[in-house]
Amino acid sequence: MVSNAIEMKAWLLNNPAPVSRNPLTIAEVPIPVPREDELLIKISACGICRTDLHVVEGELPVRRSPLIPGHQIVGTITTCGSQVEGFSEGDRVGVAWLNRTCGICNFCQSGRENLCEQASFTGWTTDGGYAEYVVAPSTFAYLIPNGFDDIQAAPLLCAGIIGYRCLRLTGINEWKGARLGIYGFGAAGHIAIQLARARGAEVFVCTRDRERHQALAEELGATWVGDTFDEPPSTLDAAIIFAPAGEIVPVALKAVGKGGTVVLGGIHMSPIPSFDYSLIYGERTVRSVANNTRADGREFLLEAASIPVRTHTQTFQFHQANEALNALKSDSIRGAGVLKASYPNRRD
Ligand SMILES: [Zn+2]
Ligand SMILES: [Zn+2]
């Protein structure tokens, strides 16, 4: 389908501010032009992530201004740059947080491109998906497996991929019968539990909000569900903390057994209180997860399609971007929030 549009609607962040002040403003901006290694993608959906909150509210430093946020993008390729290989116009693709890496540093050369010092990030250092179009390097785009519609697929691209990497970094190798704790049960938690259950683990979920998060955890097969600071009835082999609250770290350490790992899944967390050495003694480990590699993304999408993972989504219309962020901030989204791209008055 040919579009003669040269401008698109996009949500811009000019100055970080609390989301209660609705800091995003809608604007008409030029449709970006893809460089030779990039794709131009017409967006159909973009997932809302807690990291968007950290960007919009200024907990992450400003790296580009004005900025179009959003890094769980699903859309259709409308133009391929001249050097693009392996993609065609019309392909349905996803764009995730890791936008581009240098490819030559020690991290990039050793399978740890997620730690690249020169990396750029979608919706933070480059424009993201709260818009009608986006450009992205083809080598960092993912083909979306059939079986997921656009809305369903959007939360896979960060919540899903980061959850997958968190599961990997728990160090659990034998999943059958393993006992995993999940602290905080939003978009990432509700996908991670589906992977862990499919692999044969028992999952213990600690989260606030009886009606939404605890109920969804039960529905998705949690062995036990409690409040954030409740002690699970069994000793855990590992735990993942998705909530950005540092005070959960000692609580989770207390719940894991000797040799167990507590994985911190967020990009930002409030300060971790000091705790007694006995909580980490016994070769317990605390480690963070930073971004993801492309291998994580590809492996996760394959596993998600094979199970298949079913994302629970709450859809927001394009004009509701600020409302969506406020809903996420107040923990009132069940599963994952997704912003729909809309094309008012466009004949394409
Ligand atoms: Zn690098
Ligand atoms: Zn994210």
Side-chain angles (χ1 to χ4, degrees):
M1 284 185 283
V2 178
S3 165
N4 296 319
I6 53 166
E7 293 214 309
M8 65 173 186
K9 286 202 193 313
W11 284 99
L12 300 182
L13 177 70
N14 288 293
N15 295 108
V19 289
S20 58
R21 283 161 46 192
N22 298 330
L24 299 183
T25 53
I26 196 153
E28 288 271 342
V29 300
I31 292 175
V33 177
R35 287 184 272 176
E36 55 190 19
D37 67 339
E38 289 180 333
L39 309 169
L40 176 63
I41 298 162
K42 182 176 172 182
I43 300 170
S44 53
C46 184
I48 313 284
C49 176
R50 188 163 291 279
T51 300
D52 300 340
L53 279 183
H54 299 318
V55 168
V56 169
E57 298 201 311
E59 282 150 341
L60 297 182
V62 174
R63 297 280 300 272
R64 176 181 176 86
S65 184
L67 168 75
I68 303 171
H71 59 270
Q72 304 188 84
I73 303 168
V74 177
T76 305
I77 299 173
T78 59
T79 310
C80 292
S82 59
Q83 303 292 317
V84 168
E85 287 172 14
F87 290 96
S88 312
E89 288 175 21
D91 285 349
R92 194 168 66 125
V93 291
V95 179
W97 172 245
L98 189 70
N99 187 272
R100 193 187 278 276
T101 58
C102 79
I104 55 174
C105 73
N106 182 29
F107 292 120
C108 284
Q109 295 276 318
S110 59
R112 296 177 293 167
E113 63 184 2
N114 59 309
L115 303 179
C116 175
E117 298 279 3
Q118 304 301 321
S120 57
F121 298 97
T122 313
W124 183 32
T125 67
T126 70
D127 282 336
Y130 291 15
E132 292 180 298
Y133 290 86
V134 69
V135 290
S138 63
T139 48
F140 285 80
Y142 303 92
L143 284 169
I144 302 291
N146 297 329
F148 296 107
D149 67 27
D150 294 352
I151 299 282
Q152 285 247 313
L156 301 176
L157 289 158
C158 182
I161 295 174
I162 295 296
Y164 174 87
R165 187 170 178 86
C166 288
L167 290 172
R168 186 139 78 76
L169 296 196
T170 60
I172 295 174
N173 293 318
E174 182 47 58
W175 281 90
K176 197 151 182 51
R179 290 188 298 262
L180 174 74
I182 294 181
Y183 289 80
F185 201 74
H190 99 284
I191 298 174
I193 192 176
Q194 296 181 53
L195 296 180
R197 294 283 299 125
R199 294 174 184 182
E202 289 181 52
V203 182
F204 299 76
V205 176
C206 300
T207 189
R208 57 186 182 189
D209 193 312
R210 175 97 274 239
E211 277 109 80
R212 294 187 190 88
H213 305 317
Q214 292 187 3
L216 183 57
E218 271 168 7
E219 200 178 307
L220 293 173
T223 300
W224 173 89
V225 177
D227 270 308
T228 312
F229 298 99
D230 289 352
E231 198 174 325
S234 309
T235 303
L236 305 175
D237 296 307
I240 303 171
I241 303 179
F242 290 117
E247 63 266 27
I248 299 175
V249 174
V251 175
L253 270 171
K254 203 173 164 199
V256 301
K258 285 190 213 173
T261 298
V262 175
V263 179
L264 314 182
I267 192 170
H268 173 83
M269 187 177 239
S270 59
I272 299 171
S274 68
F275 50 83
D276 199 88
Y277 181 59
S278 63
L279 287 188
I280 198 166
Y281 187 67
E283 303 194 343
R284 292 172 181 84
T285 306
V286 176
R287 69 183 304 181
S288 67
V289 162
N291 318 312
N292 65 280
T293 65
R294 282 171 283 179
D296 291 327
R298 291 189 203 107
E299 288 165 19
F300 164 68
L301 288 171
L302 277 178
E303 187 172 341
S306 73
I307 293 174
V309 162
R310 283 291 163 242
T311 53
H312 293 241
T313 55
Q314 183 175 331
T315 305
F316 295 86
Q317 299 303 316
F318 190 69
H319 67 271
Q320 295 177 303
N322 283 307
E323 285 93 319
L325 290 172
N326 278 289
L328 179 60
K329 180 83 187 270
S330 65
D331 257 344
S332 67
I333 295 177
R334 189 178 193 266
V338 178
L339 189 67
K340 260 174 102 167
S342 65
Y343 311 97
N345 310 320
R346 290 261 155 80
R347 294 183 56 223
D348 54 8

